[in-house]
């Protein structure tokens, strides 16, 4: 529920091409779209491959392993629901599969975040049906 | 060189006050800016028959602006667009005149960028529901231009050793220029320490790395050289133009290729190829300074310095008045005011006319004394070629090369 004192974080409303990503995260899996015709990973999810134009796709589980490619630290409050979280990080992670996604780094102080650090996917529930893939520093 | 190079010109420019409280509609602002540009060109309501504008759902359409000035149009188009639109629409103006659809095109941008819709994405925009593409960004707290552009700067620092102190020189230079600009919102020069000690907005961007949200309208008039010769001022001839040149993926620019590469990498061959010149021949640059680092990335991508050396270039003094190639002599979006790209083209037109001395006595009466001493006026000594570098985001850019010869 949204109240004046505790604004709700934006809730995802997955569509037909993105639902498996969020449902996969709920089940603890990083699920990505892959082209059945040419094998290219496709992110963000969309209905046609921009390489071979095929609409034949599958959802496959990615390794969840990646490297921090770039990031910023958000100090300004834009969305009221993030007011208590500033400064928070917004990160670009390059997955072992070669694609990059926007995410947050968790279980790591902002001061320790650095480009090139190995990271591993974790999954943060936001509702009964949906979770968000995030990343923590890889252990070992 | 293209057969259209030098065949068209900018003949009129005008703008409203730059403020943070216009108290007027974008319609009233747009009408005022266009009227000033028409007076500047020496055109009456029969002299304009084409109109172009761009907006982000925050402006008034050409049909209203033209009607309010008694202008009957043979062509108009209002498109959505950001900071790469000015140069792109100038190119479109050339095309529609060349096609015979109209003879003279007015381009305007009207926005209450501070008291109306704020591009940063606060208020109603921030609270919008999350579906479609925003599923992969806003859920993680990513919504503003600062957040989506700055990963390119962060990566540039990582790959090339660029520093916050180096790009702070962009703000310092532009603030000195704005101090000689009576129109500027922020006329007080700042220091490197002022920039580095200002609060974080989105690290690596401090408050003073960011441009000034502004209420304003601006207008530019384009016509053929044939007609331009009969008008009031020395025409700013269009030698080259490139419009909304893009990287392979625009919607999430960070997913593709090196993100320290920006659209200018692709635009430079088009604009320099059409103009038949190279970066060394440019006297003044006008870069899109939404943030300090966007100027740095554009200047290096267009070849004003080798790739990766943008930080050294912008901190060398070259971009300051008195330097080899001043950038944003009006103070730009960082200090004069944010106009979505228009004002940097307007400034370069005035530089080519010798009119950027509006702090000097007699200027209003057309007497030019040109105080070139440090702290004097901001007119550059006898410039002949200027260049504008438009930027919508790291993946889309436009460019324009003008001359007075």
């Amino acid at each position: 529920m949204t109240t004046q004192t505790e604004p709700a974080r934006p809730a995802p409303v997955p569509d037909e091409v993105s639902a498996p990503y969020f449902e996969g995260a709920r089940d603890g899996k990083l699920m990505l779209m892959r082209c059945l015709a040419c094998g290219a990973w496709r992110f963000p999810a969309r209905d046609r491959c921009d390489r071979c134009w095929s609409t034949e796709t599958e959802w496959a589980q990615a390794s969840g392993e990646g490297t921090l490619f770039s990031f910023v630290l958000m100090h300004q409050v834009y969305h009221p629901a993030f007011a208590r979280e500033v400064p928070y990080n917004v990160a670009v992670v390059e997955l072992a599969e070669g694609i990059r996604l926007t995410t947050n780094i968790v279980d790591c102080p902002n001061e320790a975040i650095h480009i090139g650090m190995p990271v591993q996917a974790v999954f943060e529930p936001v509702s009964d049906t949906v979770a968000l893939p995030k990343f923590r520093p890889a252990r070992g | 060189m293209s057969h259209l190079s030098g065949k068209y010109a900018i003949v009129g420019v005008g703008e409203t006050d730059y403020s943070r409280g216009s108290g007027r509609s974008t319609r009233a602002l747009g009408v005022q800016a266009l009227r000033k540009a028409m007076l500047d060109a020496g055109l009456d309501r029969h002299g304009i028959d084409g109109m172009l504008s761009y907006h982000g759902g925050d402006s008034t359409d050409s049909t209203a602006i033209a009607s309010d000035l008694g202008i009957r149009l043979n062509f108009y188009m209002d498109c959505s667009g950001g900071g790469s639109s000015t140069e792109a629409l100038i190119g479109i103006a050339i095309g529609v005149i060349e096609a015979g659809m109209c003879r003279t095109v007015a381009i305007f941008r009207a926005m209450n960028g501070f008291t109306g819709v704020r591009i940063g994405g606060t208020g109603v925009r921030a609270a919008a529901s999350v579906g479609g593409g925003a599923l992969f960004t806003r859920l993680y707290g990513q919504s503003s231009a600062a957040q989506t552009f700055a990963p390119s700067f962060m990566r540039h620092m990582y790959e090339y050793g660029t520093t916050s102190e180096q790009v702070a020189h962009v703000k310092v230079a532009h603030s000195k220029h704005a101090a000689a600009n009576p129109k500027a919102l922020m006329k007080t020069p700042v220091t490197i320490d002022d920039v580095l000690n200002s609060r974080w907005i989105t690290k690596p961007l401090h408050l003073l790395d960011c441009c000034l949200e502004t209420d304003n309208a601006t207008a530019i008039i384009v016509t053929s050289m044939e007609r331009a010769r009969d008008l009031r001022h020395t025409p700013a001839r269009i030698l080259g133009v490139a419009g909304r040149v893009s990287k392979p993926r625009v919607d999430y620019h960070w997913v593709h290729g090196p993100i320290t590469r920006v659209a200018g990498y692709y635009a430079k061959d088009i604009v320099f190829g059409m103009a038949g010149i190279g970066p060394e021949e440019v006297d003044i640059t006008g870069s899109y300074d939404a943030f300090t680092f966007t100027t740095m990335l554009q200047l290096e991508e267009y070849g004003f310095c080798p790739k990766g050396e943008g930080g050294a270039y912008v901190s060398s003094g070259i971009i300051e008045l008195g330097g080899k190639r001043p950038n944003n002599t009006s103070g730009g979006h960082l200090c004069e005011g944010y106009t979505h790209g228009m004002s940097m083209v307007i400034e370069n037109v005035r530089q080519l006319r010798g009119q950027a001395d509006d702090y000097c006595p007699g200027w209003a009466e057309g007497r030019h004394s040109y105080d070139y001493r440090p702290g004097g006026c901001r007119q550059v000594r006898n410039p002949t070629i200027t260049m504008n570098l438009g930027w919508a985001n790291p993946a889309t850019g436009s460019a324009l090369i003008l001359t007075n010869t």
Side-chain angles (χ1 to χ4, degrees):
Chain A
M1 284 294 290
T2 301
T3 69
Q4 289 205 324
T5 49
E6 286 292 327
R9 288 184 67 138
V13 185
D15 54 27
E16 69 277 9
V17 290
S18 61
Y21 178 77
F22 295 100
E23 290 164 4
R26 178 198 58 196
D27 299 333
K29 297 174 181 172
L30 183 61
M31 299 299 291
L32 296 176
M33 198 181 251
R34 188 163 58 186
C35 180
L36 273 178
C38 76
W41 293 95
R42 199 181 309 166
F43 187 87
R46 52 189 176 269
D47 63 4
R48 191 178 293 273
C49 177
D50 61 359
R51 186 187 295 181
C52 75
W53 296 356
S54 172
T55 56
E56 297 297 312
T57 58
E58 64 175 342
W59 283 85
Q61 185 174 359
S63 65
E65 294 169 3
T67 306
L68 184 64
F69 189 76
S70 194
F71 70 102
V72 299
L73 296 179
M74 196 60 191
H75 288 250
Q76 183 84 344
V77 177
Y78 284 93
H79 193 293
F82 289 88
R84 293 200 308 179
E85 299 187 32
V86 294
Y88 64 88
N89 69 78
V90 177
V92 178
V93 164
E94 185 165 275
L95 298 176
E97 288 77 11
I99 61 173
R100 299 181 199 141
L101 44 74
T102 298
T103 188
N104 304 128
I105 302 298
V106 297
D107 298 335
C108 180
N110 283 335
E111 300 72 38
I113 296 173
H114 60 275
I115 291 176
M117 67 191 283
V119 293
Q120 177 68 45
V122 293
F123 303 93
E124 186 174 283
V126 290
S127 73
D128 291 342
T129 55
V130 171
L132 283 184
K134 297 193 173 183
F135 288 78
R136 60 160 173 76
R139 298 198 178 101
Chain B
M1 188 187 295
S2 156
H3 69 289
L4 295 181
S5 179
K7 192 176 171 185
Y8 291 88
I10 296 172
V11 295
V13 293
E15 71 274 75
T16 64
D17 288 344
Y18 297 138
S19 78
R20 303 196 118 183
S22 72
R24 293 188 292 159
S25 64
T26 56
R27 181 169 184 155
L29 293 170
V31 166
Q32 186 192 14
L34 184 52
R35 178 176 170 275
K36 289 175 82 169
M38 291 167 70
L39 291 171
D40 177 65
L43 289 166
D44 65 14
R45 66 196 182 89
H46 304 293
I48 301 283
D49 67 342
M51 200 167 287
L52 290 164
S53 85
Y54 60 102
H55 62 83
D58 58 356
S59 184
T60 301
D61 284 342
S62 294
T63 45
I65 303 293
S67 299
D68 286 1
L69 286 165
I71 296 168
R72 193 195 66 76
L73 295 172
N74 287 319
F75 169 83
Y76 70 88
M77 189 75 69
D78 302 286
C79 66
S80 71
S84 67
S85 302
T86 312
E87 298 84 359
L89 266 56
I90 289 169
I92 290 173
I94 292 174
V96 296
I97 300 171
E98 186 73 18
M101 295 164 72
C102 58
R103 298 176 68 196
T104 301
V105 175
I107 299 163
F108 73 90
R109 175 78 175 103
M111 57 198 292
N112 278 316
F114 186 76
T115 59
V117 176
R118 297 180 67 171
I119 288 173
T122 49
V124 173
R125 277 192 179 187
S129 65
V130 177
L135 282 170
F136 300 101
T137 54
R138 191 169 295 163
L139 294 175
Y140 296 101
Q142 183 187 51
S143 58
S144 75
Q147 288 169 297
T148 57
F149 296 2
S152 289
F153 178 37
M154 201 65 126
R155 189 75 194 181
H156 200 279
M157 293 195 284
Y158 174 77
E159 291 180 9
Y160 299 109
T162 311
T163 66
S164 293
E165 187 268 344
Q166 286 178 319
V167 301
H169 281 270
V170 175
K171 177 71 173 185
V172 170
H174 294 188
S175 75
K176 289 179 186 172
H177 302 170
N181 178 0
K183 297 183 278 109
L185 267 184
M186 186 183 159
K187 298 189 182 72
T188 307
V190 301
T191 65
I192 299 294
D193 284 344
D194 289 337
V195 179
L196 299 182
N197 292 330
S198 63
R199 67 184 173 89
W200 293 116
I201 296 296
T202 297
K203 190 178 179 179
L205 303 176
H206 308 81
L207 176 66
L208 295 185
D209 286 304
C210 306
C211 63
L212 307 172
E213 295 167 299
T214 307
D215 296 352
N216 71 91
T218 44
I220 290 169
I221 299 173
V222 176
T223 195
S224 63
M225 274 302 289
E226 201 170 63
R227 297 198 75 206
R229 292 194 182 91
D230 298 330
L231 299 177
R232 278 185 65 203
H233 296 292
T234 304
R237 282 205 303 149
I238 299 161
L239 288 183
V241 63
R244 292 189 181 173
V245 181
S246 298
K247 289 179 64 175
R249 202 162 186 102
V250 178
D251 53 353
Y252 306 87
H253 75 88
W254 54 89
V255 304
H256 192 282
I259 65 171
T260 55
R261 173 172 295 168
V262 298
Y265 174 83
Y266 299 96
K268 67 174 182 295
D269 292 342
I270 296 173
V271 68
F272 285 124
M274 178 174 172
I277 66 159
E280 277 304 310
E281 291 165 80
V282 175
D283 298 314
I284 300 170
T285 51
S287 71
Y288 197 84
D289 55 344
F291 306 101
T292 47
F293 77 95
T294 61
T295 285
M296 180 273 295
L297 278 177
Q298 289 173 298
L299 289 170
E300 81 172 25
E301 211 69 283
Y302 279 94
F304 291 100
C305 63
K307 184 65 191 170
E309 295 179 20
Y313 181 86
V314 299
S315 57
S316 68
I318 287 176
I319 66 166
E320 288 193 26
L321 278 169
K324 178 182 169 191
R325 188 178 298 111
N327 183 68
N328 288 10
T329 57
S330 65
H333 287 353
L334 286 169
C335 297
E336 184 186 41
Y338 182 76
T339 68
H340 240 162
M342 294 283 282
S343 52
M344 274 84 81
V345 174
I346 291 173
E347 175 74 0
N348 282 355
V349 169
R350 294 202 174 114
Q351 283 285 357
L352 291 170
R353 293 178 181 175
Q355 287 185 322
D357 59 334
D358 44 3
Y359 252 179
C360 296
W363 174 84
E365 293 77 43
R367 293 196 309 278
H368 299 289
S369 49
Y370 297 140
D371 182 356
Y372 292 122
R373 292 170 299 180
C377 75
R378 66 181 196 281
Q379 179 65 48
V380 173
R381 198 185 292 266
N382 303 321
T384 59
I385 296 179
T386 66
M387 183 161 178
N388 283 95
L389 315 173
W391 162 295
N393 57 66
T396 298
S398 299
L400 177 74
I401 297 173
L402 300 174
T403 188
N404 53 9
T405 60

